[in-house]
Amino acid sequence: DLLFIEGRVDFQNVCFSYTAGKEILSEVSFTVMPGQTVALVGPSGSGKSTIIRLLFRFYDVQGGCILIDGQDISKVKQNSLRSYIGVVPQDTVLFNDNIRENIRYGRISASDQEVEEAAVAADIHHKILSFPDGYDTEVGERGLKLSGGEKQRVAIARTILKSPRIILLDEATSALDSQTERNIQASLAKVCANHTTLVVAHRHEELLAMGGLYAAMWLKQQQTPESEVS
Ligand code: ATP
Ligand code: MG
């Protein structure tokens, strides 16, 4: 186990393909400084979600390396790595349990009150209360009673509760209407402040709403992205 204290992320010449002969990432290099928010921007299929998956070690890189605080993540125990990272994936899968435990999974020592505060911050609390069983509602793995956007908000509540050093948001607000989006962005901005954040975003307003300094990384197919700081 290794300790990540600052949360600096370095991709160094990362190469990756899902199937032989079709390289998705080719010598991709970039740095996210501790506490910085970086947006991954690029066309569909350019590898944005792949970058998120590699950082969470769903897959291992095939060339180059990914460092957190200078430590190669392929040499860190998966559990140890994942305890420092919170992910809101493109397609959130819930656990076969009730909503309360799905949120509490972010930090299992959290009290019921802390779970509800996270749900309020993620703008999902009222939706949960609208169910006859409230927080005890069983959602099942496919989250049958929740829309895509609502499932993402459960994942956001989980991440708020976990408050990890590194936050990965894969199009966290794409499935939401604009009012809900604004509400959540306000709370996400609070959560992401002082945390290293990598966010896949499609619209410029999403980036600005995250607040503060951000760097946009324009990912083009089969090319090393340029870094741009504003
Ligand atoms: P989008 O904006 O549509 O979410 P993206 O930039 O996140 O796109 P990725 O999901 O990273 O794109 O996918 C990059 C490429 O890798 C795509 O061509 C996709 O078809 C391919 N790909 C993704 N997942 C797999 C997989 N599990 N097996 C094989 N190919 C995959
Ligand atoms: Mg994607």
Side-chain angles (χ1 to χ4, degrees):
D1 289 21
L2 291 165
L3 278 182
F4 298 136
I5 294 157
E6 292 194 299
R8 174 189 167 122
V9 174
D10 288 290
F11 272 59
Q12 295 184 346
N13 306 313
V14 169
C15 300
F16 182 78
S17 50
Y18 290 100
T19 49
K22 186 171 180 274
E23 197 158 59
I24 304 297
L25 300 176
S26 171
E27 306 258 338
V28 170
S29 301
F30 64 90
T31 295
V32 191
M33 296 303 286
Q36 192 179 31
T37 295
V38 164
L40 290 173
V41 183
S44 182
S46 58
K48 304 180 297 294
S49 298
T50 302
I51 285 177
I52 303 273
R53 291 178 202 128
L54 290 175
L55 195 44
F56 204 58
R57 267 195 84 193
F58 279 124
Y59 303 95
D60 279 318
V61 300
Q62 289 147 2
C65 58
I66 301 172
L67 309 177
I68 298 181
D69 290 350
Q71 298 157 31
D72 188 332
I73 65 166
S74 71
K75 299 187 172 71
V76 177
K77 275 193 200 133
Q78 207 171 56
N79 283 349
S80 170
L81 173 75
R82 292 184 177 182
S83 69
Y84 290 93
I85 301 177
V87 191
V88 180
Q90 202 163 359
D91 293 304
T92 297
V93 176
L94 299 178
F95 304 106
N96 217 346
D97 205 332
N98 61 41
I99 297 183
R100 181 183 289 106
E101 297 312 318
N102 264 284
I103 296 173
R104 203 196 316 269
Y105 185 78
R107 179 160 50 85
I108 50 170
S109 63
S111 67
D112 286 358
Q113 193 190 332
E114 288 172 313
V115 167
E116 293 191 22
E117 282 166 6
V120 169
D123 210 14
I124 189 68
H125 177 70
H126 292 292
K127 177 71 195 178
I128 295 170
L129 291 186
S130 76
F131 295 126
D133 293 329
Y135 279 83
D136 295 319
T137 303
E138 296 289 328
V139 282
E141 278 166 31
R142 290 168 62 206
L144 290 179
K145 293 175 179 164
L146 299 167
S147 73
E150 288 160 356
K151 278 188 279 186
Q152 277 205 326
R153 278 185 277 162
V154 170
I156 289 167
R158 191 187 283 162
T159 302
I160 288 171
L161 199 58
K162 181 173 178 175
S163 190
R165 278 313 307 148
I166 298 171
I167 297 175
L168 309 176
L169 301 171
D170 197 348
E171 296 170 310
T173 56
S174 64
L176 307 175
D177 63 79
S178 56
Q179 182 53 49
T180 308
E181 196 173 300
R182 278 193 292 276
N183 294 349
I184 294 179
Q185 273 161 356
S187 45
L188 272 180
K190 270 183 255 158
V191 179
C192 296
N194 305 316
H195 293 67
T196 306
T197 307
L198 206 51
V199 55
V200 175
H202 288 297
R203 279 163 302 191
H204 201 61
E205 310 92 78
E206 286 181 27
L207 313 184
L208 294 176
M210 300 301 290
L213 176 75
Y214 73 88
M217 199 186 88
W218 304 88
L219 193 62
K220 295 179 203 134
Q221 233 137 4
Q222 307 296 328
Q223 278 181 21
T224 305
E226 308 150 27
S227 258
E228 186 180 280
V229 180
S230 70

